[in-house]
Amino acid sequence: MSRAAGQTDTPDATDRGRPRLGRRVVGAGTALTLVVGAGGVYAYSALAAGGPQPEAVLPAGAIAYAKVDLDPTAAQKIAAMRLARKADMLRSAAPGGLDGVKETTISAVAEESGLGLSEADISAWAGDRAAYAVYAAPPTVQDEDGVDVVVAIATTNNPAARVALDKVKAAEGTAYTIKGGFVLLSEDQPSLDRVLALPGALGKDRQVTADLDALNSGDRVAEMWVDLDAVLETETAGTAMTSLVARAGLEGSAGEAARAALTPAVRGGTRLSGETATSLVRRAAAGGELPRRYGRMVGAIHLNASYIEVKTRMLGVPVSGIGTAGSDLIRALPSGIYGAFGITGYGASLADAWATLPPAQKRELRAVGIGSAADFRALAGRDLAIAVGRGSSEQVSGELRVRSSTPDRTRALWQRLVTEAEAGEDVSVRRDGDVVTVAVGTLQANRSLLAYSPVYQQAVPDASRSGYTLFVDLARAFEAADVDTGLWRGLQAAGVTMQEDGTMRVRLTVR
């Protein structure tokens, strides 16, 4: 796909007293990406990815980076079109595949940004790719969050880009330049100048490229990389991330959701770590300091004709709290269930947490029969699985299964909890060898096991290596509930897995 070459165009410095970079503009820039092409049938060569990448024009030294690439490999483009045909929700969000993503985004930016830009203003120049990079500002710079942010947006028409961005500059006091087929946009001229003065190219940064390769996610339409140590060392680290959410133009429910997800990690400058919450609590209760290393996080979105996958990984820090292998109990559940959750090694984490509990909570737990760390360990055992599915009487039933080194203790504890809860006669507790089962009703037993279900295998392909597994058969659950799926029609299942090496995989599959 050809692009105008583009020459560097640096506007005059803007007044720092003018409004900072429009928060919606940066988000719009991050989202503005490619049109694959209208039509629907292409030769393979026409679909092949090509052209410059934003990491080639962004300088090295970023502490955070994210890219959307809607001109990826041919396989990703074909997968996007097939996905859009299979699921109503995806077809609504991106009619025709990846080209629909850009059309929808441009329309939203033109209508909601408040920058006075029409769809024609944006469509006239916005190209295939966009990226968002964050750099630590020098200590001498008085900045509200200690970072310089630059957005790179591919341009296919430099004159049209200048016309549109001059409007933004006049309204928001921003700065931009055109370089190597991309518009580089920042909140003001000093910020842009500082970033452009940095040596090297982000695409050749050995740490960034090595980390993204370690993710092993295959072809991708989006990727991100964050140096958590560097981000949390910036000035006012507690507000930096939430400030970036605001800069990205996420308002309304989307903004609230993003802020809610980030706030626990960064409120008051709290350091983020790959360690589990229980280990952090335990350390704090003992008067120890929080860990000094927080590592790096990478992520990517990969498309397949049958699923969308988001994969992330923590690097540079130990990850604890889950087992080294997947749950055997979840694999042994009957196929045909609506959903299941399995975790290994959780009993040990609960046992560690006992010492951190205040005396009042320990008294409450003792009142229901849980009086020690050993009891906590016995409750969750070394392997725990929960399943929900159809019961023998067509009612929803469920089971909790625990594999324990002390099964008699585990059975007694769960029986005590069931009795204290006055759960009723339809709740039973039984022991079979080293496995204790707490059943609500009677789960329908199929001849085949969940481990051999193609739906399960596709949604959680690495379950045998993952200490944490969550699986939901969306199609079966919707059918059982006799609900009108509406936009959810065409979806098959959802799966989440986490491994001890810090890898997390989230998949949404289609029928």
Side-chain angles (χ1 to χ4, degrees):
M1 185 175 292
S2 62
R3 297 182 177 82
Q7 296 179 348
T8 300
D9 178 23
T10 305
D12 295 335
T14 57
D15 181 2
R16 286 187 62 87
R18 300 176 67 180
R20 298 174 66 82
L21 175 59
R23 297 171 186 268
R24 293 159 297 191
V25 179
V26 179
T30 306
L32 286 182
T33 47
L34 144 92
V35 168
V36 173
V41 179
Y42 302 88
Y44 187 92
S45 60
L47 286 170
Q53 296 285 348
E55 59 267 31
V57 297
L58 288 167
I63 60 175
Y65 158 76
K67 179 178 76 170
V68 177
D69 184 357
L70 299 185
D71 185 15
T73 64
Q76 293 291 276
K77 297 174 190 175
I78 294 170
M81 289 186 283
R82 290 179 176 173
L83 280 167
R85 288 198 297 268
K86 291 180 179 180
D88 289 4
M89 181 181 69
L90 302 178
R91 182 164 55 253
S92 175
L98 295 179
D99 53 335
V101 174
K102 183 176 181 180
E103 292 177 9
T104 302
T105 301
I106 287 179
S107 176
V109 170
E111 293 176 6
E112 301 175 11
S113 68
L115 297 171
L117 296 177
S118 67
E119 291 187 37
D121 288 333
I122 303 170
S123 300
W125 65 274
D128 306 47
R129 304 177 172 104
Y132 184 91
V134 182
Y135 299 83
T140 55
V141 175
Q142 298 299 316
D143 191 271
E144 70 177 15
D145 51 27
V147 296
D148 293 324
V149 180
V150 173
V151 176
I153 309 170
T155 173
T156 60
N157 186 324
N158 290 355
R162 293 189 185 98
V163 170
L165 293 172
D166 282 343
K167 292 182 183 180
V168 178
K169 176 181 175 182
E172 298 287 339
T174 62
Y176 76 91
T177 189
I178 299 177
K179 176 182 178 182
F182 285 86
V183 167
L184 300 181
L185 180 68
S186 191
E187 59 192 355
D188 53 44
Q189 194 63 51
S191 294
L192 184 60
D193 289 342
R194 284 194 295 269
V195 172
L196 292 178
L198 295 172
L202 188 59
K204 295 183 179 180
D205 187 309
R206 291 184 178 180
Q207 186 69 77
V208 175
T209 55
D211 288 349
L212 288 169
D213 287 344
L215 185 61
N216 192 29
S217 64
D219 296 335
R220 55 196 72 171
V221 295
E223 64 185 23
M224 57 84 69
W225 175 90
V226 182
D227 184 335
L228 295 171
D229 291 298
V231 167
L232 294 174
E233 286 172 3
T234 59
E235 230 175 285
T236 61
T239 61
M241 293 290 279
T242 51
S243 173
L244 295 181
V245 171
R247 288 166 183 257
L250 294 176
E251 298 180 351
S253 58
E256 290 302 318
R259 276 182 282 275
L262 291 170
T263 296
V266 298
R267 180 183 291 136
T270 300
R271 303 284 184 159
L272 185 63
S273 169
E275 296 187 73
T276 63
T278 54
S279 65
L280 292 178
V281 171
R282 185 170 67 251
R283 182 175 299 189
E289 295 183 359
L290 292 175
R292 297 182 180 276
R293 296 290 302 175
Y294 314 104
R296 305 174 305 281
M297 182 169 65
V298 291
I301 299 176
H302 169 76
L303 303 180
N304 179 280
S306 299
Y307 60 79
I308 299 174
E309 176 179 282
V310 179
K311 190 175 181 183
T312 63
R313 185 174 179 182
M314 296 292 301
L315 297 163
V317 290
V319 176
S320 59
I322 59 174
T324 58
S327 168
D328 289 333
L329 292 180
I330 194 173
R331 291 167 52 83
L333 290 168
S335 63
I337 59 177
Y338 306 146
F341 165 75
I343 187 169
T344 58
Y346 191 52
S349 295
L350 279 180
D352 289 342
W354 176 263
T356 70
L357 297 178
Q361 288 189 2
K362 287 183 178 179
R363 286 195 296 270
E364 293 174 359
L365 289 169
R366 288 190 179 103
V368 294
I370 303 172
S372 66
D375 286 343
F376 256 7
R377 184 187 300 272
L379 273 174
R382 61 180 186 270
D383 188 355
L384 180 150
I386 300 173
V388 177
R390 179 178 298 171
S392 57
S393 59
E394 300 301 318
Q395 299 296 318
V396 174
S397 297
E399 285 189 0
L400 179 148
R401 300 180 180 182
V402 179
R403 175 169 281 115
S404 172
S405 301
T406 55
D408 285 333
R409 187 175 201 164
T410 299
R411 187 200 59 77
L413 286 167
W414 279 108
Q415 184 64 68
R416 174 74 180 271
L417 291 175
V418 168
T419 302
E420 291 286 342
E422 299 180 351
E425 295 181 356
D426 62 336
V427 179
S428 63
V429 181
R430 66 178 185 271
R431 174 191 166 187
D432 298 297
D434 63 352
V435 175
V436 173
T437 300
V438 181
V440 181
T442 303
L443 196 64
Q444 191 175 68
N446 292 347
R447 293 182 178 180
S448 61
L449 302 181
L450 185 62
Y452 303 116
S453 164
V455 174
Y456 174 80
Q457 291 174 344
Q458 186 174 69
V460 287
D462 52 354
S464 64
R465 305 188 304 275
S466 301
Y468 176 106
T469 301
L470 175 65
F471 165 74
V472 180
D473 190 327
L474 297 171
R476 191 179 296 275
F478 287 145
E479 181 182 356
D482 193 25
V483 298
D484 182 5
T485 54
L487 282 178
W488 299 97
R489 187 178 295 107
L491 299 182
Q492 177 64 70
V496 180
T497 56
M498 286 190 285
Q499 298 181 26
E500 192 186 38
D501 68 355
T503 298
M504 181 173 77
R505 185 195 306 267
V506 180
R507 273 194 184 182
L508 181 66
T509 67
V510 298
R511 288 192 259 187

